[in-house]
Amino acid sequence: MSWFRNVLGSGEPGVQPTGADTIARLCDRVQSSTLLDDRRDAVRALKSLSKKFRVEVGTQALDILINVLQTDRSDCEIMGYALDTIFNIIAAHLEPEEVEEESPAEQEARMKQEVQLSEQFIDIFLKRSENVSLVLGLLEEYEFKVRWPAIKTMTALSTMRASQVQQLILVSPQGVSKLMDLLSDTREVVRNDGLLLLTQLTKGNANIQKIVAFENAFDRLLEIIAEEGASDGGIVVEDCLLLLLNLLKKNSSNQTFFKEGSFIQRLAPFFDLKTSGGSSPDGSWSAQKVNNVNLMLQVVRTLVSPSNPQQATSVCQKVIHQCGLLKQLCGILMASGVPADILTETINTVSEVIRGSKLNQEFFAAVNAPSNPPRLVLAGGPLASVELTVNLWGQYTKELAGSNTHLAGFRPAIVVLLMSMVNEKQPYVLRCAVLYCFECFLYKNEIGQEQIIATLLPATADVQTVTAGQLLCGGLFSQDSLANWFAAVALAHALKDNTTQKEQLLRVQLATGLGNPPVSLLQQCTNILAQPTAKVQTRVGLLILLCNWLSNCQLAVSHFLTNPSNIPFLTAQVAEHADEHESLVQGLCAFLLGISIIDNDNANSSFTKESLRQLIAKRVGEESFIEKLEGVSKHELYTQAAQKPQLRFSSPDAMLFDYEFTSLYKHLESQIVKAIQESDDIESKKTVEDHDNIVTQYKDIIREQDNQLSETKKKYEDMKTEFSKQESQLSEQSSQIQQLKDQYALLKAQHGVNNTGQDLQNSTDLHDSGSEEISRLQAEVDDLRQQLADKDSAVEKLKNDLTVAEAKAVLNTDGTEEGNGEVSVVQTRLEEQQQEIQELKRTLAEQRDEVTKEKQRADDLSSQLEEKNNIPIPDNSALIAEKAAMSTKISDLESKLSHSESEISQLQSENQRLQDEKQDLESRLSSQGEGAADVSQLNDELQKLKLENERLSSEGQTAKEDVAQIRQEQEDLLVLLTDTDEKKDKYKEKLKELGQPTSDDEDGEEAEDEEEEEEDGDED
């Protein structure tokens, strides 16, 4: 405490100050001291006391320390002390000496209290958002004493209040960029703690993840991983991979950026185990290397996860194959000395890389195991020493360790993996991974399904080598219930959505023993299902296989119904009362019964759809049957399996359902319920349907009658309108006939019949000639209009040429001759245009005369027709027709004539407009010609005037400068003379006051001087 006395000042002798008193004095000193050294010493003292007296320092000094960060930024040392103190206040920790004396329960209780205290102080710190921005700003300081404590403080804040700190960083200007700068720090401590801080901040926040990714985080992280030794690196590599996982997991934008940035290709060297040096001399892997490889495999799985968009996953799968990463992963599968955890995760990774990708599935099918099976470091022992027992087509046993002659049959990698799956000595998680790999290999892979089923068919089966089909059948009928379930589910995936292979699998025959006839695989599955000693897991697996086999395959259902004991067994199973697990078996039996109904082709008269419905209704009951079905989908294990394609169960006993079967169950459950309910409601449905049919028939009849009535009304209205029109036409025709009769009587009285034919012929000839003349005039008018349009375009072109010539004449003084040439060309073209206009005028005059003549001829024709009206006509109907035709032609001639007159007037107005434009062009050309002639002379005179003006300006400027100099000298001289005269007058006055006489000469000289000055002033 002597040091504190030196710092704080000595108190009363013999009195020991408490911790709270000391902290209070230190806080007062930080606030009141004007010297920076005193404040720095006080903050350093608070730092040393902050761990032991955490509550006192936090309650009294937290705001003071924040104020120090704001006011004393110029001193890095005091800033570092303040940040360290704040970190000690908000970070939960226990003193080592206290931990050693306490029991584990007490340590846990103490730690819980420390965490609660940290949360309280952090909430106080975060009440002001400026505090986070303040600490973020300190991250820009390169000084180690400031930057490192700031990183630790931000890490502590984000650990306790991640979401709140994330939001504050997002609204802070350049907040994420400041954090990314930490990765470029050359000091490893700062860089590594920066990695931890970014890992904490990127958890669950897609916005920060995107910003960090686009701040070039992927490139920097991969560089650090390579610098640290990739898979053989230390904890820093693990931190980088954790940050990579945070950036990529469930973030499609970052995954796309990672793919498009060609970062997938940079992952391949990480899995190059040939150059790896992290293994111990005995071939085992270090714990850190296991963690690193495991995390990198998770990074790859994140890019090809089934939960990602299908298109993005397909592209990543293709890139992984092209860059050789898939080949390296398959090499790890077949390598020796691989730990079980890494092998399991590698199998899962390969599974998702090939899932749904035809190219990758073909590549995986071609992967072969080495001639000598690798020694896998597994809990159950090496794979090479596994004893495989297969009971199929007779019973035989092979010990792989001692049967090297048959090892050539285990070339395909898929066969080696299936050997591990059906072997009960292998770890549970490894067997689950192999099943998942097999499922992914067959997902949307009809060729792979065909290859697997082909190994079971009699025509292709080879007993000399172990095939995938043999391993699956061996596992299906083994004594291990988990192997039964694995093999049944694997076979179910080989049949999924493939009716052809379902029918092919019906051909498989099994030999049950010597002297016994072979049985089909379908019948053998039902026989095992009916055995009372079969375990629940085995029965569930077989029911999953049968349900997948029979769904959407009528031939398989027909084979299943051929055995008369199958349906009674299923019905009895559904009707019984059982415990929880047995209820799942009952539900699956009900599901299989339902599939037998909906996919039944009624080929078997004993078990038709209707008979099966009646059997279920009598033996089980509709409500009980539906309850059994619904019980499966409500089960916890069913819900867990329906979440993800990968199998994730805590124990082997919980392995009852898989993802694909839950999808099938969801799809068919409603159809089965509908098919069952259809049998009981058939009577009521018939009554309702009959009633509905009667109502529908009446509605159709009423609708037809309404349509007929509306059509009849429409026809009536049309007929009424037509009748009115015909009636009006009839009245008009009657009046015309009466009028014609009167005219006929009058004509018959005045003229004879002989002259009638000749006159009509003359009128017809006149009409024909008039029509031809009108047509000719119309053609000529069209020609004139075309000529006018051509002239308009020519005039517009002349206007443009004239404008260009004017511009050149005004602006280009050097090109005067060229402008004169263009003006002459324009003048010539205008003269030609004037001649064409005169010709057009003459043509228009001629056309006007012709139109006048035609009009006169039309008038004559009209007068002649009127005269001919008095001629008697022998036949009344012929006269009426001829008269109507003549009247129509005459009206057409008159309309055409009026149209010609209007067009002639338009041509006249166009002619007037062209004359005005011509005059305007002539005036502009004349003015342009006069201006162009004098341009050269004016330019020369203007140049001379400019030169003369410049000369005179320079001379005038020189003269002005001389005059200004002379005037300045005169003004100085006048000032000097004035001062001299004033002094002289003063001296005379003083002499007069002293009684000294002054000479008259001096007065005379003064008078003369004054006269001279006046004369000079007059001259000026």
Side-chain angles (χ1 to χ4, degrees):
M1 297 298 293
S2 60
W3 181 80
F4 287 111
R5 291 193 188 95
N6 294 331
V7 175
L8 301 174
S10 59
E12 297 180 1
V15 178
Q16 188 75 14
T18 63
D21 295 337
T22 304
I23 292 169
R25 293 179 182 179
L26 290 171
C27 292
D28 181 66
R29 189 168 183 177
V30 173
Q31 288 180 302
S32 61
S33 180
T34 59
L35 295 177
L36 180 60
D37 293 338
D38 291 344
R39 295 198 304 273
R40 186 188 307 118
D41 292 339
V43 174
R44 181 169 54 189
L46 286 173
K47 174 190 172 185
S48 62
L49 295 173
S50 59
K51 290 185 179 181
K52 186 175 182 180
F53 300 98
R54 181 184 177 194
V55 177
E56 291 80 2
V57 175
T59 54
Q60 298 184 45
L62 183 58
D63 293 335
I64 298 172
L65 294 171
I66 294 172
N67 187 51
V68 169
L69 296 179
Q70 295 173 345
T71 58
D72 293 328
R73 297 197 64 168
S74 60
D75 186 72
C76 295
E77 192 171 357
I78 192 172
M79 297 284 286
Y81 293 149
L83 287 170
D84 284 331
T85 308
I86 293 174
F87 172 73
N88 293 336
I89 293 172
I90 65 176
H93 59 274
L94 295 176
E95 293 296 332
E97 57 272 11
E98 297 178 357
V99 173
E100 293 177 357
E101 300 175 357
E102 295 177 350
S103 63
E106 293 175 347
Q107 293 177 10
E108 185 178 356
R110 282 283 306 280
M111 193 62 191
K112 187 176 181 180
Q113 293 177 358
E114 292 292 327
V115 170
Q116 292 177 353
L117 189 60
S118 297
E119 292 177 350
Q120 294 175 3
F121 283 128
I122 288 174
D123 291 337
I124 295 172
F125 187 85
L126 294 178
K127 282 183 179 179
R128 296 180 58 189
S129 60
E130 297 84 2
N131 294 340
V132 176
S133 301
L134 181 62
V135 179
L136 280 175
L138 295 177
L139 291 176
E140 294 180 325
E141 295 288 341
Y142 187 75
E143 184 66 30
F144 181 79
K145 296 178 181 180
V146 178
R147 176 172 272 195
W148 189 44
I151 295 172
K152 293 192 297 181
T153 302
M154 286 299 301
T155 304
L157 292 173
S158 59
T159 301
M160 293 294 181
R161 294 289 183 266
S163 60
Q164 191 173 354
V165 175
Q166 288 168 350
Q167 296 302 321
L168 293 174
I169 290 175
L170 285 175
V171 299
S172 177
Q174 300 295 322
V176 180
S177 300
K178 296 172 184 176
L179 297 173
M180 285 301 301
D181 292 339
L182 301 176
L183 298 183
S184 301
D185 201 307
T186 56
R187 295 163 294 193
E188 291 187 1
V189 176
V190 176
R191 184 197 65 186
N192 298 342
D193 284 354
L195 278 173
L196 297 176
L197 175 58
L198 284 171
T199 303
Q200 200 69 34
L201 290 174
T202 53
K203 288 181 180 179
N205 193 297
N207 294 326
I208 293 182
Q209 291 171 3
K210 292 178 183 178
I211 298 173
V212 170
F214 284 95
E215 289 281 349
N216 205 24
F218 292 137
D219 184 62
R220 182 57 186 149
L221 290 174
L222 292 177
E223 286 180 357
I224 295 174
I225 290 172
E227 292 172 359
E228 295 292 329
S231 61
D232 298 323
I235 190 66
V236 177
V237 174
E238 182 178 351
D239 294 338
C240 291
L241 293 174
L242 287 173
L243 181 55
L244 267 180
L245 277 176
N246 287 348
L247 297 177
L248 293 175
K249 189 175 293 184
K250 297 181 181 179
N251 195 318
S252 57
S253 176
N254 284 359
Q255 291 173 7
T256 303
F257 181 68
F258 193 84
K259 169 182 62 67
E260 293 177 352
S262 300
F263 294 114
I264 296 178
Q265 291 85 337
R266 296 172 63 177
L267 300 180
F270 191 93
F271 297 101
D272 191 3
L273 302 181
K274 296 180 179 178
T275 60
S276 175
S279 301
S280 60
D282 60 351
S284 61
W285 290 24
S286 64
Q288 187 60 56
K289 182 175 182 179
V290 171
N291 292 337
N292 293 343
V293 177
N294 196 5
L295 287 173
M296 184 58 79
L297 290 171
Q298 292 181 29
V299 170
V300 177
R301 290 187 64 184
T302 302
L303 298 173
V304 293
S305 175
S307 60
N308 295 343
Q310 180 60 38
Q311 184 177 2
T313 302
S314 301
V315 175
C316 291
Q317 288 173 336
K318 184 178 179 181
V319 174
I320 289 173
H321 178 268
Q322 291 175 346
C323 70
L325 184 56
L326 177 59
K327 183 178 180 181
Q328 288 180 317
L329 294 174
C330 292
I332 295 176
L333 290 181
M334 299 296 109
S336 59
V338 179
D341 294 342
I342 298 301
L343 181 62
T344 302
E345 190 64 26
T346 305
I347 293 174
N348 289 327
T349 305
V350 172
S351 304
E352 294 181 353
V353 170
I354 67 175
R355 188 176 191 269
S357 174
K358 187 176 181 180
L359 178 65
N360 293 355
Q361 288 169 344
E362 292 177 354
F363 175 84
F364 183 72
V367 174
N368 292 324
S371 299
N372 295 321
R375 179 183 177 85
L376 303 179
V377 182
L378 302 173
L383 181 64
S385 62
V386 172
E387 179 179 353
L388 176 64
T389 303
V390 180
N391 293 313
L392 183 65
W393 294 290
Q395 183 176 359
Y396 61 94
T397 302
K398 294 180 180 179
E399 296 233 17
L400 297 183
S403 302
N404 294 329
T405 56
H406 298 287
L407 288 177
F410 292 92
R411 292 285 183 184
I414 192 67
V415 174
V416 177
L417 293 175
L418 288 177
M419 290 169 60
S420 299
M421 186 187 74
V422 298
N423 181 19
E424 60 181 341
K425 295 181 180 180
Q426 298 297 334
Y428 164 68
V429 290
L430 177 64
R431 300 173 72 182
C432 292
V434 172
L435 177 60
Y436 183 51
C437 182
F438 190 75
E439 292 175 357
C440 293
F441 171 68
L442 298 178
Y443 183 72
K444 295 183 179 180
N445 185 9
E446 294 185 357
I447 298 176
Q449 290 176 327
E450 181 181 0
Q451 292 173 351
I452 297 298
I453 299 300
T455 59
L456 290 167
L457 299 179
T460 58
D462 185 6
V463 297
Q464 297 300 321
T465 58
V466 177
T467 62
Q470 295 176 14
L471 292 172
L472 291 177
C473 283
L476 190 64
F477 305 129
S478 69
Q479 300 298 320
D480 182 17
S481 60
L482 187 59
N484 300 154
W485 191 89
F486 280 137
V489 173
L491 271 178
H493 280 270
L495 302 174
K496 185 178 182 298
D497 299 331
N498 196 329
T499 306
T500 303
Q501 302 309 319
K502 291 178 182 179
E503 295 176 355
Q504 288 292 323
L505 195 61
L506 295 172
R507 298 169 48 197
V508 176
Q509 298 290 321
L510 302 178
T512 57
L514 295 176
N516 296 326
V519 297
S520 65
L521 178 62
L522 180 63
Q523 186 57 45
Q524 185 65 18
C525 291
T526 56
N527 292 339
I528 297 175
L529 185 63
Q531 293 177 2
T533 58
K535 297 181 180 180
V536 173
Q537 194 171 42
T538 301
R539 298 168 70 187
V540 170
L542 291 173
L543 286 169
I544 290 175
L545 173 60
L546 292 173
C547 291
N548 278 278
W549 196 347
L550 270 61
S551 62
N552 300 318
C553 183
Q554 293 183 349
L555 183 60
V557 172
S558 177
H559 278 68
F560 180 75
L561 297 177
T562 302
N563 189 346
S565 61
N566 289 339
I567 296 299
F569 168 74
L570 294 177
T571 307
Q573 289 290 318
V574 177
E576 291 180 356
H577 297 283
D579 57 7
E580 181 182 0
H581 290 297
E582 287 294 335
S583 64
L584 288 178
V585 176
Q586 291 180 343
L588 293 177
C589 289
F591 186 66
L592 185 58
L593 269 176
I595 293 175
S596 301
I597 294 175
I598 60 176
D599 291 321
N600 193 342
D601 59 356
N602 294 326
N604 192 331
S605 59
S606 301
F607 299 107
T608 61
K609 288 184 178 181
E610 186 60 32
S611 63
L612 290 176
R613 290 194 193 101
Q614 294 177 2
L615 180 63
I616 292 172
K618 292 178 181 180
R619 296 287 305 277
V620 181
E622 176 190 345
E623 295 182 358
S624 178
F625 186 85
I626 296 175
E627 184 180 355
K628 300 290 185 182
L629 281 176
E630 293 176 349
V632 175
S633 57
K634 294 178 181 179
H635 200 276
E636 180 183 359
L637 296 177
Y638 176 92
T639 305
Q640 186 177 354
Q643 293 177 358
K644 292 182 179 180
Q646 185 181 2
L647 303 171
R648 290 185 179 273
F649 294 98
S650 57
S651 63
D653 295 336
M655 187 77 68
L656 294 178
F657 297 103
D658 79 315
Y659 178 81
E660 296 299 336
F661 177 73
T662 58
S663 301
L664 177 67
Y665 198 91
K666 291 177 185 177
H667 178 66
L668 296 180
E669 182 181 6
S670 59
Q671 298 182 22
I672 293 173
V673 172
K674 184 178 179 180
I676 296 301
Q677 290 177 342
E678 186 177 332
S679 62
D680 290 341
D681 297 339
I682 189 168
E683 296 296 333
S684 60
K685 286 184 178 179
K686 284 184 179 179
T687 304
V688 174
E689 289 177 357
D690 293 341
H691 176 72
D692 292 340
N693 291 333
I694 293 171
V695 173
T696 304
Q697 290 176 3
Y698 277 114
K699 287 182 179 179
D700 293 339
I701 293 172
I702 293 171
R703 192 178 296 108
E704 290 177 359
Q705 290 178 353
D706 289 340
N707 294 334
Q708 292 177 0
L709 182 60
S710 60
E711 291 177 359
T712 305
K713 288 181 179 179
K714 185 177 181 181
K715 289 180 180 180
Y716 171 73
E717 294 294 335
D718 294 340
M719 293 178 66
K720 187 176 181 181
T721 305
E722 186 69 21
F723 175 76
S724 300
K725 186 187 295 184
Q726 293 294 336
E727 190 176 13
S728 61
Q729 290 179 359
L730 182 62
S731 60
E732 291 177 0
Q733 290 178 0
S734 299
S735 61
Q736 289 178 1
I737 289 172
Q738 186 63 36
Q739 185 178 1
L740 290 173
K741 285 182 179 181
D742 295 341
Q743 292 178 1
Y744 173 70
L746 182 61
L747 290 173
K748 188 175 182 181
Q750 291 180 358
H751 299 284
V753 181
N754 295 331
N755 296 330
T756 302
Q758 184 178 359
D759 292 336
L760 288 174
Q761 183 66 31
N762 293 333
S763 65
T764 303
D765 295 336
L766 289 173
H767 171 67
D768 295 336
S769 63
S771 300
E772 293 175 357
E773 191 66 17
I774 291 298
S775 300
R776 185 178 62 80
L777 288 174
Q778 184 67 30
E780 291 178 357
V781 168
D782 294 336
D783 294 336
L784 290 174
R785 293 175 69 180
Q786 182 64 31
Q787 292 177 8
L788 281 175
D790 296 337
K791 301 306 177 185
D792 288 339
S793 62
V795 169
E796 291 296 328
K797 186 174 182 182
L798 288 174
K799 287 181 180 180
N800 296 332
D801 295 338
L802 181 59
T803 303
V804 173
E806 288 176 354
K808 289 183 177 180
V810 175
L811 300 176
N812 190 6
T813 57
D814 295 335
T816 305
E817 294 180 0
E818 183 178 356
N820 291 335
E822 291 180 354
V823 170
S824 63
V825 171
V826 172
Q827 184 66 31
T828 303
R829 294 184 65 179
L830 282 174
E831 290 176 357
E832 294 175 356
Q833 185 67 25
Q834 182 65 25
Q835 294 176 1
E836 292 178 356
I837 291 172
Q838 293 297 331
E839 292 177 359
L840 181 61
K841 286 182 178 179
R842 288 195 298 271
T843 303
L844 286 172
E846 292 174 359
Q847 293 296 326
R848 191 180 296 109
D849 295 337
E850 292 179 358
V851 169
T852 303
K853 291 179 181 179
E854 286 298 318
K855 188 174 183 181
Q856 184 64 35
R857 291 177 63 184
D859 294 336
D860 295 340
L861 179 61
S862 299
S863 61
Q864 291 178 7
L865 289 173
E866 290 177 355
E867 291 176 359
K868 297 303 178 181
N869 288 333
N870 298 324
I871 299 175
I873 299 174
D875 188 6
N876 190 13
S877 60
L879 178 61
I880 293 171
E882 286 291 329
K883 184 176 180 180
M886 292 298 294
S887 299
T888 304
K889 292 180 179 179
I890 289 170
S891 62
D892 293 338
L893 288 173
E894 289 177 352
S895 63
K896 290 180 179 180
L897 184 61
S898 62
H899 183 65
S900 299
E901 291 177 352
S902 64
E903 290 184 344
I904 289 171
S905 63
Q906 293 178 359
L907 291 174
Q908 291 175 353
S909 63
E910 287 291 327
N911 186 23
Q912 183 63 32
R913 184 177 64 79
L914 288 173
Q915 289 178 356
D916 295 338
E917 291 180 352
K918 175 215 174 224
Q919 293 176 1
D920 185 23
L921 289 172
E922 288 177 351
S923 63
R924 291 172 65 183
L925 283 172
S926 62
S927 62
Q928 178 64 27
E930 293 174 358
D934 299 330
V935 168
S936 177
Q937 183 177 359
L938 290 174
N939 288 333
D940 295 336
E941 293 178 356
L942 181 62
Q943 188 68 23
K944 291 178 181 179
L945 289 174
K946 286 182 178 179
L947 296 174
E948 185 66 21
N949 186 20
E950 292 176 357
R951 185 180 63 78
L952 293 174
S953 297
S954 62
E955 292 178 357
Q957 185 67 26
T958 304
K960 286 180 180 179
E961 292 176 356
D962 295 337
V963 169
Q965 185 176 3
I966 293 170
R967 286 182 178 178
Q968 183 66 33
E969 292 176 355
Q970 289 179 353
E971 289 176 358
D972 296 337
L973 183 59
L974 288 173
V975 171
L976 181 62
L977 290 174
T978 303
D979 295 337
T980 305
D981 291 338
E982 289 177 356
K983 291 179 180 180
K984 185 177 181 181
D985 292 338
K986 290 179 180 179
Y987 293 150
K988 283 183 180 182
E989 290 176 358
K990 288 181 178 181
L991 289 173
K992 289 178 181 180
E993 290 176 358
L994 296 173
Q996 295 294 331
T998 58
S999 62
D1000 295 334
D1001 294 337
E1002 294 176 355
D1003 296 335
E1005 291 175 359
E1006 291 177 358
E1008 291 177 359
D1009 292 339
E1010 291 178 356
E1011 290 177 357
E1012 290 176 358
E1013 290 177 359
E1014 290 176 358
E1015 290 176 358
D1016 293 337
D1018 294 337
E1019 289 176 359
D1020 294 337

